Amino acid sequence: MDLDPEDTAAMRRENGGKDFRLFLRQQIANGQARKTQAPAVNPPKPPGYRVGAWPDGARPPDPPLSRHTDADWQHALGQFRLGAGHDNDPCHCGSCPTTTKGLR
């Protein structure tokens, strides 16, 4: 609100300054009303809500698909247990050099 000095002087003259005091008290009340805000209300939980659980009708995501079959894993495990890839026996994993002698 913009008050000119003339407006302030006019309010002080009317009713012996009572209007000016009422105006200032109302300004204080308006400012305090803006300070106090209603507490934030949390939205209600959806029906069937369980803390820490997946919502009804939902499930965790599937694990990532492997490009290797179970037979591939069993073969690799057997090779690892037999110590393949050491000495002069080449490893067939595709990541190792063709001969691993001296590298491990």
Side-chain angles (χ1 to χ4, degrees):
M1 172 177 244
D2 294 333
L3 282 179
D4 295 333
E6 296 88 25
D7 295 334
T8 306
M11 281 196 282
R12 285 184 177 180
R13 282 191 303 266
E14 294 174 7
N15 278 339
K18 186 178 178 184
D19 290 342
F20 186 62
R21 286 191 301 273
L22 289 174
F23 171 76
L24 291 179
R25 286 189 180 124
Q26 186 60 45
Q27 292 296 310
I28 292 170
N30 289 346
Q32 288 180 352
R34 276 183 263 154
K35 284 184 195 176
T36 58
Q37 296 176 355
V41 179
N42 291 334
K45 303 289 185 202
Y49 176 76
R50 295 173 300 181
V51 177
W54 286 90
D56 291 338
R59 62 184 182 84
D62 291 332
L65 298 175
S66 175
R67 59 187 179 104
H68 302 291
T69 63
D70 288 337
D72 293 337
W73 288 109
Q74 292 300 325
H75 176 72
L77 183 61
Q79 293 293 319
F80 176 76
R81 287 182 179 151
L82 292 174
H86 295 285
D87 300 318
N88 287 329
D89 186 19
C91 180
H92 301 289
C93 72
S95 299
C96 297
T98 54
T99 59
T100 57
K101 183 175 183 176
L103 295 178
R104 292 188 185 182

